[in-house]
Amino acid sequence: MADLRALLFDVDGTLADTERDGHRLAFNHAFRERGLDWDWGVELYGRLLAVTGGKERMLFYLERFRPDWPRPDDLAGFVAELHKAKTRHYTEMLRKGAIPLRPGVRRLLDEARGAGLRLAVATTTTPENVTALLDSALGVDARSMFELIAAGDLVPQKKPAPDIYLWTMERMGLSAEQCLAFEDSLNGVRSVRDAGIRALVVTVNDYTRNEDFTGATLVLDTLGEPGERPEVLAGPMQDIGPVDVSLLRELHRLAAADA
Ligand code: XBP
Ligand code: MG
């Protein structure tokens, strides 16, 4: 069995709860600024999350909810411009510290680095969004914590396609058996599984809690901080303390044995 060598992290929903009070608000800000009558409420946004990627999500919104909205000739160009404005609003929010990391994330990153595990990010979001989050939530040397930040349009197909995980592992010279991934959503789980990674921890959030996480090794409400007991929603153990490196090694072993 291969040793656990690397932890691969999704960003949105996993490192931080960015969707409802981050991305959603930034989209709405960009829409208003452009004079559009588009307004993504909390419930509608949950439905739009079926599609990953901001540009792709806007096109999905038009197709599904606004069939009568008059399309500009260059729809792709229009959406790309709108998305740039959205990214500007989003990164401004993050730089003001609007969104903290989820509980246990900082603790686990520090511990994993100390244990010699390699760390990387594999996400569909725009690269500037990741650096804005890490810089504001982790401090100035945050980016050096991760060996690789794989994000956005680097790969042809976003999650649920496995492309971003495959690209990350190839760039780092890792096999799927050497990795453990962290996700928060069904689209993320599909991406991880189709990349051949068996060891997978899901931490749910309000948007994803009721999704089907079949194939995840462990499903939790949170990674947990010292003194807390994460709620186990699915997995091979019921009573656990905060997620730490020794638990991850055990999960990695169980996932390999199950393969
Ligand atoms: C995250 C996303 C992202 C953000 C928007 O999915 O779907 O699209 O909502 O980011 P995952 P951009 O957590 O599965 O990677 O607007 O920068 O595309
Ligand atoms: Mg996510």
Side-chain angles (χ1 to χ4, degrees):
M1 186 190 96
D3 284 341
L4 176 63
R5 298 289 307 282
L7 306 183
L8 311 182
F9 291 88
D10 171 51
V11 174
D12 294 303
T14 301
L15 292 185
D17 248 325
T18 50
E19 293 291 4
R20 192 191 68 184
D21 300 331
H23 289 291
R24 185 181 70 87
L25 300 184
F27 279 113
N28 284 334
H29 196 160
F31 301 157
R32 275 196 310 276
E33 191 176 62
R34 196 73 173 72
L36 298 169
D37 66 342
W38 308 1
D39 182 21
W40 291 359
V42 171
E43 196 266 336
L44 170 63
Y45 194 68
R47 296 165 75 182
L48 298 175
L49 282 174
V51 171
T52 65
K55 297 186 285 291
E56 294 82 353
R57 189 167 298 145
M58 285 190 263
L59 291 168
F60 173 63
Y61 167 70
L62 287 177
E63 186 192 306
R64 181 63 64 87
F65 297 95
R66 300 301 297 267
D68 299 332
W69 187 79
R71 272 61 170 165
D73 289 341
D74 178 13
L75 180 60
F78 179 81
V79 162
E81 277 308 310
L82 206 47
H83 189 251
K84 271 194 201 137
K86 176 260 167 177
T87 300
R88 182 162 43 78
H89 295 307
Y90 181 73
T91 53
E92 274 168 18
M93 284 174 70
L94 288 186
R95 289 191 199 287
K96 287 184 196 146
I99 314 240
L101 296 177
R102 292 189 66 182
V105 168
R106 175 72 203 241
R107 175 188 56 74
L108 185 62
L109 289 173
D110 287 338
E111 195 198 328
R113 214 158 61 133
L117 290 171
R118 299 167 69 188
L119 306 179
V121 157
T123 175
T124 61
T125 202
T126 304
E128 296 99 287
N129 297 348
V130 184
T131 49
L133 176 72
L134 296 180
D135 288 353
S136 81
L138 283 172
V140 272
D141 69 339
R143 276 173 263 170
S144 63
M145 197 169 236
F146 293 95
E147 187 177 324
L148 182 69
I149 293 180
D153 296 317
L154 272 176
V155 289
Q157 291 201 76
K158 292 184 176 163
K159 298 174 189 177
D163 302 28
I164 198 76
Y165 280 101
L166 293 171
W167 192 88
T168 301
M169 291 190 288
E170 196 192 325
R171 281 290 289 264
M172 293 174 74
L174 289 163
S175 69
E177 292 73 28
Q178 295 174 311
C179 299
L180 184 150
F182 292 85
E183 279 287 352
D184 70 300
S185 70
L186 173 60
N187 279 327
V189 168
R190 286 194 178 138
S191 175
V192 168
R193 298 292 295 179
D194 287 350
I197 299 170
R198 315 285 310 182
L200 168 59
V201 173
V202 172
T203 44
V204 302
N205 54 59
D206 286 348
Y207 275 131
T208 66
R209 186 169 289 271
N210 296 318
E211 291 182 338
D212 175 4
F213 295 118
T214 305
T217 319
L218 187 65
V219 184
L220 302 170
D221 64 340
T222 174
L223 295 175
E225 295 288 18
E228 291 172 8
R229 304 203 75 77
E231 186 188 350
V232 178
L233 304 171
M237 46 206 43
Q238 273 315 306
D239 211 10
I240 62 165
V243 173
D244 59 12
V245 169
S246 71
L247 178 73
L248 296 180
R249 291 198 197 284
E250 174 67 1
L251 291 171
H252 177 255
R253 196 184 59 72
L254 290 171
D258 214 30

